[in-house]
Amino acid sequence: MGRARRNKRTSAGRDAVTPQQAGAETSDPARPKGLLAWLAGIAGAVILAAFGTMFTEWYNADGSDTLERVRDAPPITVGHVAVDYSERDTVLREPVTDPGDRAVMLAANAGKRRDAVLARHRMSLIDSMDVTVALTGSRSSLRIVDIEPRVLGRGPVSEGARLIAITGGGEVDTVEMAADLDRPAPRFTTDGDTAYFRKKQIDLKRDERITLSLSFTGKKAYYEFDLLVTVLADDRTEEVVIKGPDGGPFRLTGEAARYRAYYRETPQGGWRPVSCKGRQRC
């Protein structure tokens, strides 16, 4: 019996594992795992940094243009459109007959309300007009290859009402052009004959601005028109439409012999009806 007990203790002793041994055995496999995780983190950081550098280089070269095309953004943006009405008579297509509209015409500080009345009656300048357009490039490189005055409507000269105005006694990338709407196919010219875009184009880069000083003549009819800009960007052409300051078409009319009504501008800013019957010039 004693021998049996001794053998049992000896067998148990051989099979027993001390806490120190258990800790050593369990800690050894953890060291390579921690090292691998650390190396993986370093490799990931290096890959992300390299990807970030490659992405930045791609974005600066072509990426911004690609993103603009994906979201269908135009190659140029129209930042400003203005028509010069200063000291110029204008004409309404129809006379003002509504009492409310007449009150707005007379008011000194009607502001946008009067602008709305004039727009509804299709106010236009007589014989000629000057338009300023500011454009900004939205691609890394582009070329404006053509700007076409596109006639949307043509009719007899306006004779509804003449608005008689009060008359008084920089070279920042400005391009001057003129177009005659009376011609069958109006084109911008620089000398009255040679088409501007036949020999010249306008190059722009991203965020670069250009100001166009555009002159129009039209004496034979009433015209409604907009501007169709053809842009070459990334080896393909795109078209951008420029409308008038109020979001509608530009308007220009020839002069009529007589008008059904006449208004004269007051110093306070309103328009009062006047009688021009029997006068050679009102």
Side-chain angles (χ1 to χ4, degrees):
M1 289 181 62
R3 186 181 301 169
R5 285 195 296 269
R6 283 195 301 272
N7 291 340
K8 187 174 182 180
R9 284 196 301 270
T10 303
S11 176
R14 286 198 302 267
D15 295 338
V17 179
T18 64
Q20 292 81 358
Q21 291 175 327
E25 291 177 0
T26 56
S27 63
D28 288 341
R31 289 177 183 173
K33 289 181 181 179
L35 179 61
L36 289 175
W38 180 76
L39 291 175
I42 294 296
V46 172
I47 292 173
L48 286 175
F51 175 78
T53 302
M54 293 173 60
F55 178 81
T56 301
E57 292 177 353
W58 169 81
Y59 183 84
N60 291 335
D62 301 309
S64 56
D65 290 351
T66 302
L67 295 178
E68 294 290 342
R69 290 194 299 271
V70 167
R71 66 187 186 91
D72 199 26
I76 57 173
T77 57
V78 183
H80 176 72
V81 179
V83 176
D84 185 7
Y85 292 101
S86 59
E87 300 185 359
R88 292 286 309 277
D89 288 4
T90 52
V91 175
L92 304 184
R93 192 72 178 157
E94 303 87 12
V96 181
T97 57
D98 180 80
D101 289 347
R102 286 184 175 181
V104 171
M105 290 291 290
L106 286 168
N109 299 307
K112 293 184 178 179
R113 291 186 298 148
R114 182 160 49 240
D115 292 342
V117 171
L118 298 178
R120 283 200 305 274
H121 290 76
R122 294 181 285 181
M123 182 184 75
S124 57
L125 285 163
I126 303 171
D127 288 348
S128 65
M129 66 187 300
D130 296 320
V131 177
T132 301
V133 176
L135 304 176
T136 303
S138 299
R139 297 283 192 276
S140 58
S141 180
L142 62 91
R143 171 169 289 184
I144 299 174
V145 297
D146 193 18
I147 302 177
E148 175 188 351
R150 188 171 59 171
V151 176
L152 306 175
R154 187 179 189 274
V157 296
S158 298
E159 57 180 16
R162 181 161 182 154
L163 309 184
I164 305 168
I166 296 177
T167 57
E171 297 286 332
V172 183
D173 293 331
T174 300
V175 177
E176 297 181 358
M177 291 178 280
D180 185 355
L181 300 181
D182 291 330
R183 305 183 74 169
R187 284 289 185 270
F188 282 110
T189 62
T190 55
D191 56 10
D193 187 39
T194 304
Y196 180 90
F197 288 99
R198 185 176 297 171
K199 295 184 177 181
K200 299 180 181 180
Q201 287 82 39
I202 301 173
D203 292 327
L204 289 179
K205 297 185 180 298
R206 183 181 301 279
D207 296 330
E208 185 178 1
R209 295 174 177 83
I210 187 74
T211 300
L212 306 178
S213 181
L214 309 176
S215 298
F216 301 89
T217 57
K219 300 181 179 182
K220 297 180 179 180
Y222 164 78
Y223 298 97
E224 292 187 350
F225 64 99
D226 60 15
L227 302 175
L228 184 63
V229 184
T230 302
V231 181
L232 177 63
D234 304 321
D235 296 326
R236 67 174 184 174
T237 57
E238 301 182 48
E239 294 182 338
V240 177
V241 175
I242 300 176
K243 297 183 179 181
D246 61 355
F250 297 98
R251 299 180 180 91
L252 182 62
T253 183
E255 187 171 10
R258 297 292 297 175
Y259 298 90
R260 286 179 279 172
Y262 292 84
Y263 290 80
R264 188 176 295 278
E265 187 178 8
T266 66
Q268 293 76 24
W271 296 88
R272 60 180 178 84
V274 294
S275 175
C276 295
K277 187 175 181 180
R279 297 186 186 180
Q280 189 71 20
R281 183 173 180 82
C282 189

